Structures are given as C-alpha cells and as structure tokens.
Amino acid sequence: MQLSRFFIAPNRRKSRPMMENTQTFDTPDGIDAVIEPMDATGYLAPVGFEDQLETELGDVIERHDRLMFAPGPERRVFWAQNVWRNPVRIAIPSIKGAAKILKFNQRNWALFKFDHFSRAKLIEGHLPHVSAKRQVFGEPAPAAPLGSWTLIDPDTIIAAADCSSPWKNGEVEFEEDKVTPPNRAYLKLWEAFTRLGAYPQAGDRTMDLGGSPGGWTWVLHEFGTDVISIDKARLDAKIANLPRVDFRQESAFGLNPEEIGYIDWLCSDVICYPDRLFTLVNQWMDAGMATNFICTIKLQGDTDYSAITQFGDIPGSKVVHLYNNKHELTWMKVPGVTDQD
C-alpha cells in the first residue's frame, strides 16, 4: 500500500458512502482526515488456517497477516473467525485523532494487532475500555455492537464498525471447568450452543456420537437431558456413571434411526471422513428422527472443500470454524436459528 494515496487537508472533512444500504463512516467536527471505503469485505483467518481461508476466497486483494480482504459484499466462507463488513481505510491525523474518529462512529472497538504494536496500543488507550473477561457458559453472547480495527502503517487504519462476531477477533474464551470433563473437547460444544443461543431442555432426548472419553456427553447431561452416548471406545468412568447416560459401545455408523427413536439434539464429534458423516446425517434427516444437529467435520491432510460445501448446501444449516476447533469445522442445523443466518 502506498501512503501517498491519502492526504490530510486542513479544515476539510471527507468521506464517501460505502456499499449500498450501509451507514456512512464519518469524522467528528474538528478532525481532518480522509476516509476511503474499501468496497470489499474483511475476513480474519483462525490462527494456523490462513492458507485455507486464502484458498477459499480465491481473490484476496489485500492481506495483513491473518486479515484478508476480498472485493464486494460479504460472501459465504467457512474458514473465517470474524468478518469485517464495509471496512474503511482512514488516514489518521494523530493518535488522539484516530481514537476520536473511531469513538465518533461507535463506542466499542477491538484491536487486531499484527504490526506497529506501540502506536496501536497508544490509540487503543484512548478508546473506551471493552471488557476482556471470559465467557461464562450459560450466559448469552455479548449483545453490544463491537467493531474491529487495525493499524496497517503508522498513519493508516482499517476499521469496520459491523463485524460478524460479538467477541474480540472472534476469540471465544470460556471460564473453563478444569475438573469435571475428561478432556477439552467440551469447549467446542459450549461454543456452538453459545453462538446459536439455543440449548437442549431438561427432558430432551440427546445423542453423542463418538462420545469417548465423554466431554460432549457431560455437556448434554448437564442440561438435564437423557443422553445416548455411542462409541467403540469406553467413556471415562465418572461420565459413564452419570444417572441419565446410556452408553452403548458400538459404531455410530451401524445405528438404525427408527430403532433408536426420536432424538431432539444429535451431536457428533466422531472421527471419520466428511463424506461418511454426510451420509450419516442425511440418514437421520431422511428418517425424520432428529431435529437439531451439531456435528464436527473432521479434516485430514489437504482440506476437502467440496466435502465441506455439501454440508453448507444443506438447507437451513451452516458451517463455521469455531474458535475452539482445530483442523475441523462444525456443521449446525437448528430450525429457527441457522435458517435465519
């Protein structure tokens, strides 16, 4: 990027409308700066999965570390941790001036740091404090609008007031239970439920496919549901002995939905190839024996984009990369929730 594209003129306010049906990003009186809509959308890759996002986008026009910009409005992508809608490039007049511009457009801002750390920290110090406390499971996701910004050179900011994630840079950090669950896989299910804002109810009939050692089974049990946990490997003893857990040591792929009966929430963290999971969930959907689905799409070796897309194309569902995912994605189908996204 050439800084010569920008200028700061005395007694001049300048901004241009952004993409259609969006609010104009503007400057307060007394602050002279140039604001340039990018006519693009920003996508922040999860750490370690930058190549997946760049391949998925295909036409990245600008990149700053994990933050990539592609032309046009927001598109469906699976490997983005946060999406920056209608970003603008701002030639800032000063540290305090940068903060005033951001505060004029919105109260809450999250910094994505990748360079110019000291100067970015000084700007951040002039912005209202945004709580960094960890998410408590069971409490709703943050509701206040949270914009994102980054300093790409000492005198230029890219900012977006509207972002897809209510958490800073899409980082969903929980107050963890480090005692009860047998592994940390439970955090994926916590995150999925929190992002959905929908939860199993006491008395629901739920299923955990690939249940061993029992993290997801434990989460489902804590809602007061009856859990059928399926795996060829045994559950951790303290999970298997919970009062509403029915552990069955068998393969998830040998189940007959009609024989199992209706399931309110079908959850799967089973290790298998995506095509095999796709066949399994379609079997349950075709049988009409499950309503809500949360399933991990495990990926091995090179990312199979066609396999991922077939999940994303299932009507009323969506595929996301959870902050607590690794080289995997999560497919969710919850009527009234995922069909509204």
Side-chain angles (χ1 to χ4, degrees):
M1 187 206 72
Q2 298 295 321
L3 188 57
S4 59
R5 295 179 62 191
F6 309 106
F7 60 90
I8 301 173
N11 302 318
R12 183 173 182 180
R13 272 173 79 193
K14 180 179 178 181
S15 65
R16 293 195 287 113
M18 293 184 285
M19 285 182 278
E20 189 176 356
N21 299 323
T22 63
Q23 293 182 343
T24 301
F25 202 100
D26 215 338
T27 58
D29 291 332
I31 300 295
D32 297 317
V34 173
I35 299 176
E36 182 184 55
M38 296 179 66
D39 298 322
T41 302
Y43 303 88
L44 182 65
V47 174
F49 300 102
E50 297 86 353
D51 290 346
Q52 282 83 353
L53 177 60
E54 190 165 21
T55 298
E56 187 178 18
L57 289 170
D59 55 350
V60 172
I61 57 175
E62 187 171 333
R63 177 173 174 176
H64 303 285
D65 194 62
R66 294 189 287 123
L67 180 60
M68 306 175 199
F69 294 89
E74 181 179 357
R75 62 186 73 170
R76 182 180 76 170
V77 295
F78 306 131
W79 292 97
Q81 191 164 287
N82 196 15
V83 178
W84 296 27
R85 302 172 178 129
N86 305 300
V88 296
R89 197 187 313 269
I90 310 169
I92 60 173
S94 64
I95 288 170
K96 290 184 178 180
K100 287 180 179 179
I101 292 169
L102 293 175
K103 287 189 291 184
F104 183 73
N105 287 277
Q106 186 162 284
R107 181 193 183 278
N108 295 332
W109 290 93
L111 168 63
F112 170 61
K113 293 185 290 186
F114 74 95
D115 201 356
H116 313 288
F117 300 106
S118 297
R119 188 167 175 82
K121 194 69 177 176
L122 290 172
I123 296 171
E124 185 179 42
H126 289 282
L127 293 171
H129 175 71
V130 176
S131 176
K133 68 177 183 179
R134 290 172 175 259
Q135 178 76 36
V136 175
F137 182 62
E139 294 185 356
L146 179 63
S148 297
W149 67 280
T150 191
L151 192 64
I152 63 172
D153 66 46
D155 300 304
T156 309
I157 277 176
I158 292 178
D162 181 16
C163 292
S164 65
S165 178
W167 295 277
K168 180 179 179 181
N169 297 320
E171 298 169 358
V172 191
E173 298 273 8
F174 284 100
E175 285 287 348
E176 297 187 29
D177 183 332
K178 298 184 178 180
V179 177
T180 313
N183 61 3
R184 300 184 75 249
Y186 75 95
L187 293 170
K188 294 185 287 188
L189 199 52
W190 271 14
E191 182 179 348
F193 284 131
T194 303
R195 290 173 63 145
L196 289 167
Y199 306 87
Q201 302 299 307
D204 279 356
R205 199 160 182 254
T206 62
M207 176 173 284
D208 177 15
L209 303 180
S212 179
W216 283 32
T217 296
W218 170 74
V219 172
L220 295 171
H221 182 270
E222 289 298 289
F223 286 113
T225 73
D226 297 308
V227 191
I228 301 172
S229 185
I230 307 291
D231 205 313
K232 289 184 176 180
R234 289 194 170 274
L235 291 182
D236 181 279
K238 64 183 177 183
I239 305 300
N241 290 329
L242 291 172
R244 294 181 309 280
V245 170
D246 174 11
F247 174 63
R248 305 183 186 184
Q249 195 169 8
E250 58 184 303
S251 169
F253 301 99
L255 301 177
N256 184 325
E258 284 82 2
E259 292 179 358
I260 295 293
Y262 179 76
I263 298 294
D264 294 285
W265 288 83
L266 189 152
C267 300
S268 171
D269 199 31
V270 69
I271 298 173
C272 66
Y273 287 107
D275 285 342
R276 202 172 187 203
L277 178 66
F278 185 75
T279 298
L280 184 148
V281 298
N282 274 281
Q283 180 185 15
W284 281 88
M285 288 190 294
D286 291 344
M289 300 305 291
T291 297
N292 305 292
F293 295 81
I294 300 175
C295 301
T296 307
I297 306 170
K298 305 282 187 177
L299 301 166
Q300 302 177 28
D302 294 337
T303 301
D304 187 342
Y305 293 93
S306 62
I308 297 166
T309 300
Q310 67 181 352
F311 280 94
D313 288 342
I314 294 174
S317 73
K318 67 177 181 179
V319 176
V320 298
H321 184 278
L322 302 176
Y323 175 67
N324 290 285
N325 278 146
K326 296 179 181 177
H327 188 207
E328 56 194 12
L329 296 164
T330 299
W331 174 72
M332 300 185 286
K333 187 177 189 296
V334 179
V337 179
T338 55
D339 48 5
Q340 304 299 315
D341 294 336

